[in-house]
Amino acid sequence: MILVFLALAFVGCKDTEPVTPEAVEVQEMAVNIDHAFDNEPLAFLTEEYSLASGEKVFFKRLAYLLADFYLIKADDTRVNLADQYALLNPKSDPSNFTLLNIPMGEYKAFGFSIGLDSIINHGNPNQYPATHPLSPINNSLYWSWQGGYVFTAIEGDVVGTTDNFIFHLAGSNNKIDFEFPVTFTKGMAALDANLTYNLAEAFKNPDMFSLTSDGRSTHTTTDPVTVKLTSNMADIFNLDAITTAVE
């Protein structure tokens, strides 16, 4: 009986094999945007910036809406990241957000838009919860008097004067589309995307913008000021990299 007891005790004390946890696919991409004015970090109220026109300004507000996110696979399949939106307000909020439902695969491009298509732009804004990027309570970018959203708001002061500028750029005809060629692989882990938004581009490329000669405000979708600034913003973004997230 003693031998049997010892044998059972030996079996009971034997080390168990460690269990390797099963890998879980994370279908996410964290997007981080650095806001700059040419080679300088963008600051509000504290830093003076020189426009291409030579005019010196302080920026008080920058806010904009991103939508229509998508990826292009290596075989040209388009993966639409439907019903996902981002509100960027770098003066007061972190400039990052997360995109969901990104399947594994080999990819060759990433795209999105500043602004909204006509259906969303002129839909019912009250359908969104208060924290949603398209909630007027959250973004302060909805034109209740005209219907539709302001896609980009740029506001500030002209240094050495009492003048200010207010540019509210809107209208589905002024939606700006971006597509960046970039090769990356989506495996089980999440992704990180890093972009730079260079506000200086809005005032210089391809056409120099002057507050004195072009104007210091716009609140319509067809105003020459809106058209010029929107055209200049076609290369306001630069995609730095999309990489596998480090756990």
Side-chain angles (χ1 to χ4, degrees):
M1 293 294 294
I2 294 175
L3 292 175
V4 172
F5 176 79
L6 291 174
L8 291 174
F10 177 77
V11 172
C13 293
K14 185 177 180 181
D15 291 338
T16 58
E17 293 293 329
V19 177
T20 302
E22 185 176 347
V24 177
E25 181 185 356
V26 182
Q27 293 190 326
E28 298 179 354
M29 181 164 70
V31 180
N32 180 73
I33 302 176
D34 291 323
H35 292 89
F37 192 92
D38 282 335
N39 297 320
E40 302 176 56
L42 183 63
F44 296 90
L45 297 175
T46 59
E47 296 294 331
E48 179 181 306
Y49 299 98
S50 294
L51 304 183
S53 62
E55 296 157 307
K56 298 183 183 300
V57 300
F58 291 108
F59 291 105
K60 296 191 297 186
R61 183 190 185 198
L62 171 66
Y64 57 96
L65 295 169
L66 299 182
D68 295 338
F69 296 96
Y70 67 91
L71 300 167
I72 303 293
K73 285 193 169 185
D75 63 0
D76 291 323
T77 302
R78 180 179 173 120
V79 179
N80 291 315
L81 307 179
D83 300 323
Q84 300 191 53
Y85 305 92
L87 166 65
L88 281 301
N89 186 9
K91 180 181 177 181
S92 58
D93 298 326
S95 296
N96 53 63
F97 55 93
T98 300
L99 297 173
L100 308 175
N101 304 321
I102 300 175
M104 292 191 295
E106 302 289 332
Y107 291 90
K108 66 177 186 179
F110 172 49
F112 57 84
S113 300
I114 295 178
L116 309 169
D117 64 42
S118 182
I119 294 175
I120 299 298
N121 190 34
H122 296 289
N124 178 10
N126 298 317
Q127 66 182 296
Y128 304 109
T131 57
H132 192 279
L134 298 187
S135 167
I137 296 174
N138 185 28
N139 61 39
S140 298
L141 291 172
Y142 188 73
W143 273 351
S144 58
W145 58 274
Q146 181 168 309
Y149 291 84
V150 172
F151 297 163
T152 298
I154 304 170
E155 302 174 11
D157 294 327
V158 181
V159 175
T161 75
T162 58
D163 296 334
N164 60 13
F165 54 91
I166 301 175
F167 302 125
H168 290 174
L169 311 178
S172 297
N173 53 307
N174 296 311
K175 184 167 74 78
I176 309 170
D177 301 323
F178 300 87
E179 183 173 295
F180 302 97
V182 56
T183 302
F184 63 95
T185 300
K186 170 65 178 73
M188 296 291 286
L191 297 171
D192 286 333
N194 294 289
L195 298 100
T196 300
Y197 180 108
N198 181 9
L199 182 55
E201 290 292 336
F203 299 94
K204 68 177 181 179
N205 184 32
D207 298 311
M208 185 183 73
F209 188 95
S210 167
L211 299 174
T212 302
S213 58
D214 288 305
R216 293 185 288 106
S217 68
T218 182
H219 298 281
T220 70
T221 62
T222 58
D223 188 290
V225 172
T226 297
V227 174
K228 191 169 187 177
L229 288 171
T230 300
S231 297
N232 282 355
M233 291 170 65
D235 57 357
I236 204 163
F237 274 108
N238 181 67
L239 175 63
D240 302 316
I242 295 180
T243 58
T244 300
V246 178
E247 297 182 359

